[in-house]
Amino acid sequence: MATNEAYTAPEAGGKVKISVDPLTRIEGHLKIEVTVENGKVVDAVSSGTMFRGFEQILIGRDPRDASQITQRICGVCPTAHATASTRALDDAFGVKDKITTNGRLARNLIFGSNYLQSHILHFYHLAALDYVKGPETAFFIPRYAKPDLRLPEDINKVAVDQYVKALTIRAQCHELVCMFGGKMPHVAGIVVGGSTEIPTKEKLALYLAKFKDVEEFITKEYIPTVYLVGTVYKDLFSCGAGWKNCVSYGVFPMDDKNTKFLLKPGAYIDGKDVALDPAEIKEYVKYSWYDPSCSNLHPSKGKTVIDLKKKGAYSFVKAPRYMGKACEGGPLARMWVANPDLSPIGVKELKDKYGIKAKKFRDLGDLAWSIMGRHVARAEETYIVMNAVKEWLKDLKPGKETIVPAPVPASGEGIGMTEAPRGALLHYVNIKDSKIANYQAVPATIWNCSPRDDMDQMGPVEKCLIGVPVPDVKNPVNVGRLVRAFDP
């Protein structure tokens, strides 16, 4: 889109306010306002401008509808919502510890394939146009007159070619999802009690054949290109730190009792690792268009009561907080909490291109807490999930059952926590008379793009925008780069 997405207006004292409305190349409706002084952002506001209302839609329905309907919350992560919703239903139906090994593995393969697709989508088709100059076509025309595109011609050509190839690779990832999920988007195969598809030898062989192309693209093109782009935009490793607090619910269970995860649950608060305690999650609405009675509540007590005339409110997004702190979610959060080994690709690229000797993710230090650091975290996580998918495929047993009976209870409640590709995701369900009495969803982007809370703490994206360079207020390129790095 070639239209100008920002307007500027001078304020007293030399400050300039910039409104980016809507922020494009994301899923959903987001408005970002920043105040710039002396070439840097000094204030920021993140406003979710669309009310979705899925909580109200679900009241009175058969609980099993939830895992299908809530997939419509997000156009790019329906599989994550299916996962969180079914985990909540497993809990409420009393079967969360009864899922078969094959059912767990099938779910992981469905979700894992979607993870790979989502991360490739984010870098190439949502974020890359902030760094790559494409042909003068409708898909590539820069939004701003001076888009700050610095890649040398040879590197730029490689990136453009990969942009096109990534479309094919993403399609293959979708096909992998469909093999056990039935269709994509809005999978049918992840249901309460497990997964609907019993694997066959033929389907496992076909999955592996298609997966090899995805694996080759990730290892030979995606990950090296992320590091290569970073060498040209090294300044973007030094801005966008924010609060440096983060939370991860854990994702991809590695045992049938849900005690171990590929990327573990936990939080990092005020420079210290802390265990994840779901009771410490609360939502606040002082600056959101909801009634004050909805504030300071755990999702199990959550309410969704709109107040469009509320004074001071500026977003339909609530403000979730952990231990009262604004926390980042997403690949950076998961990698920081888990602190896994870096990929062999990353270790080599960091040493050769940056002169950095790093073996663990936290060895990156402050470089990780940045615009470009978030892209590195996503690429490294992609490598971890890619390798896990290969192992799950080996462990899945042809012909073995993938689902357990799960009759609808007369009453019950459950909480389902997982990690969408873009961050921590929670669903809560309360069942009475075999119908949904209350349903609450705390989607991933709500953590990152939340407004200020009742304690007047900025949301993570708002805080991360502070200090971001905007040397030309008519071309606020770095504002979009920062927000898009979160994949909202």
Side-chain angles (χ1 to χ4, degrees):
M1 302 169 97
T3 55
N4 193 357
E5 70 176 1
Y7 67 84
T8 59
E11 294 186 343
K15 296 180 180 180
V16 176
K17 181 173 287 187
I18 302 171
S19 177
V20 184
D21 182 19
L23 182 81
T24 54
R25 282 186 275 124
I26 65 168
E27 198 290 323
H29 301 70
L30 185 65
K31 174 183 178 180
I32 299 293
E33 288 186 341
V34 296
T35 301
V36 177
E37 184 177 22
N38 297 324
K40 290 187 177 182
V41 175
V42 295
D43 194 16
V45 170
S46 172
S47 176
T49 59
M50 180 182 180
F51 174 68
R52 288 170 171 165
F54 280 82
E55 292 86 353
Q56 286 91 334
I57 291 171
L58 287 165
I59 291 175
R61 299 190 70 107
D62 186 312
R64 294 168 295 188
D65 290 347
S67 62
Q68 289 299 310
I69 292 175
T70 58
Q71 291 187 59
R72 277 73 181 172
I73 288 175
C74 178
V76 291
C77 53
T79 312
H81 285 285
T83 300
S85 183
T86 52
R87 287 178 69 85
L89 295 173
D90 288 343
D91 190 15
F93 283 44
V95 297
K96 70 175 182 178
D97 294 327
K98 299 177 182 178
I99 308 300
T100 68
T101 300
N102 249 26
R104 171 178 60 83
L105 292 170
R107 282 181 174 182
N108 280 356
L109 283 171
I110 296 168
F111 198 15
S113 303
N114 177 248
Y115 246 74
L116 301 181
Q117 184 280 145
S118 186
H119 284 352
I120 293 169
L121 159 68
H122 173 257
F123 181 71
Y124 286 101
H125 303 132
L126 300 179
L129 298 188
D130 289 331
Y131 311 97
V132 178
K133 182 179 181 181
E136 293 299 312
T137 69
F139 296 106
F140 290 98
I141 293 174
R143 183 168 307 280
Y144 297 117
K146 298 178 181 179
D148 183 32
L149 301 176
R150 314 175 204 164
L151 294 182
E153 187 175 345
D154 56 340
I155 297 176
N156 194 84
K157 184 181 184 306
V158 169
V160 172
D161 290 344
Q162 289 180 11
Y163 178 102
V164 177
K165 185 176 181 180
L167 293 168
T168 300
I169 298 299
R170 283 179 52 211
Q172 287 187 235
C173 289
H174 280 317
E175 291 172 7
L176 296 178
V177 173
C178 292
M179 284 188 187
F180 298 110
K183 63 188 181 75
M184 182 65 193
H186 311 134
V187 297
I190 298 178
V191 296
V192 57
S195 174
T196 60
E197 180 76 11
I198 296 178
T200 64
K201 290 181 180 179
E202 294 77 14
K203 185 159 285 190
L204 293 176
L206 181 59
Y207 189 108
L208 181 60
K210 289 180 177 293
F211 177 77
K212 286 181 178 178
D213 291 338
V214 178
E215 180 182 20
E216 183 175 18
F217 181 81
I218 290 169
T219 55
K220 294 184 178 180
E221 300 185 65
Y222 168 43
I223 299 176
T225 298
V226 169
Y227 280 101
L228 189 58
V229 169
T231 63
V232 181
Y233 293 91
K234 283 188 175 181
D235 54 310
L236 300 185
F237 279 106
S238 60
C239 59
W243 294 110
K244 291 188 178 181
N245 295 327
C246 60
V247 64
S248 171
Y249 293 161
V251 65
F252 300 117
M254 301 297 282
D255 68 335
D256 298 342
K257 298 299 182 183
N258 295 289
T259 60
K260 297 179 181 179
F261 294 83
L262 178 67
L263 294 167
K264 69 178 184 179
Y268 185 78
I269 305 292
D270 295 337
K272 297 179 180 180
D273 291 298
V274 297
L276 181 70
D277 180 0
E280 293 288 350
I281 301 168
K282 289 187 177 181
E283 293 183 287
Y284 299 88
V285 301
K286 180 178 179 179
Y287 294 96
S288 308
W289 286 302
Y290 299 99
D291 188 85
S293 65
C294 301
S295 204
N296 193 20
L297 298 176
H298 184 268
S300 63
K301 306 295 182 183
K303 295 191 286 185
T304 308
V305 183
I306 291 291
D307 182 358
L308 295 177
K309 297 181 180 180
K310 187 175 178 181
K311 187 176 181 180
Y314 61 86
S315 182
F316 279 116
V317 174
K318 294 180 181 179
R321 299 293 185 258
Y322 186 74
M323 296 177 63
K325 300 286 186 176
C327 292
E328 177 172 341
L332 171 56
R334 290 189 291 268
M335 295 295 285
W336 194 266
V337 168
N339 193 28
D341 292 337
L342 291 166
S343 67
I345 307 165
V347 170
K348 185 177 186 304
E349 295 286 339
L350 285 166
K351 182 179 178 181
D352 292 350
K353 293 188 173 71
Y354 299 86
I356 298 172
K357 293 181 180 180
K359 293 183 179 180
K360 294 278 192 178
F361 184 78
R362 289 196 190 182
D363 292 342
L364 293 173
D366 287 342
L367 295 178
W369 300 93
S370 68
I371 294 175
M372 198 55 63
R374 291 180 178 89
H375 288 292
V376 168
R378 194 178 302 269
E380 287 292 329
E381 180 177 72
T382 304
Y383 186 83
I384 292 172
V385 176
M386 177 195 75
N387 285 325
V389 165
K390 290 192 293 185
E391 295 304 313
W392 296 328
L393 193 62
K394 292 177 185 177
D395 293 340
L396 197 62
K397 304 300 182 186
K400 296 294 184 180
E401 188 57 75
T402 56
I403 195 167
V404 296
V408 179
S411 63
E413 63 176 342
I415 190 166
M417 302 171 72
T418 189
E419 288 285 317
R422 55 206 42 81
L425 173 60
L426 183 152
H427 282 225
Y428 167 80
V429 63
N430 185 287
I431 300 168
K432 293 181 180 179
D433 299 324
S434 299
K435 302 293 183 182
I436 295 175
N438 188 18
Y439 202 98
Q440 293 293 312
V442 186
T445 291
I446 286 183
W447 281 96
N448 291 331
C449 293
S450 63
R452 289 156 172 80
D453 55 32
D454 293 29
M455 296 76 76
D456 289 332
Q457 297 175 112
M458 286 181 155
V461 162
E462 293 178 334
K463 181 66 174 178
C464 285
L465 280 164
I466 303 302
V468 165
V470 184
D472 181 355
V473 294
K474 293 184 179 180
N475 296 279
V477 180
N478 286 333
V479 172
R481 284 173 172 161
L482 180 284
V483 182
R484 289 190 190 95
F486 285 87
D487 191 18

